[in-house]
Amino acid sequence: TLAAAGKLLKLLLLQLQLQLQQQQQQQQQQLLLLLLLLLLLLLLLLLLLLLLLLLLLLLQIEEHTSELQSLVNLVRRLPLE
């Protein structure tokens, strides 16, 4: 019976080791998923920043175009006055 108890203890220890390994693998997978999500969030933030910069650039171009158009209109009126 002592040998049977020893075998049972060994089996229980092996089962615990397997469970711990499975838990560690699950935790590693969860950490990898979290890292991927963070990376995606960072990429989205970068994309938003690029879009904002593009919008600012377009607004500046529009402003300069308006200024140029105003100057052209002013120059066209000058000979008439």
Side-chain angles (χ1 to χ4, degrees):
T1 60
L2 191 57
K7 286 183 181 180
L8 184 60
L9 279 176
K10 283 183 183 179
L11 285 175
L12 287 174
L13 283 175
L14 282 175
Q15 187 178 8
L16 283 174
Q17 285 176 343
L18 285 174
Q19 287 176 351
L20 283 175
Q21 286 175 353
Q22 289 173 348
Q23 287 176 352
Q24 287 174 346
Q25 286 176 350
Q26 287 175 348
Q27 288 174 347
Q28 287 173 350
Q29 289 173 349
Q30 289 172 349
L31 282 175
L32 283 175
L33 284 175
L34 282 175
L35 287 173
L36 284 174
L37 285 175
L38 283 174
L39 183 60
L40 282 175
L41 282 174
L42 283 175
L43 288 174
L44 284 174
L45 283 175
L46 282 175
L47 182 61
L48 282 175
L49 282 175
L50 287 174
L51 288 173
L52 282 174
L53 286 173
L54 181 61
L55 180 63
L56 285 174
L57 180 63
L58 288 174
L59 287 174
Q60 283 183 348
I61 289 173
E62 175 64 29
E63 182 180 327
H64 289 302
T65 303
S66 284
E67 288 174 2
L68 285 174
Q69 187 63 38
S70 294
L71 282 174
V72 167
N73 286 338
L74 182 63
V75 168
R76 284 182 184 164
R77 289 183 194 153
L78 279 176
L80 296 176
E81 295 174 357

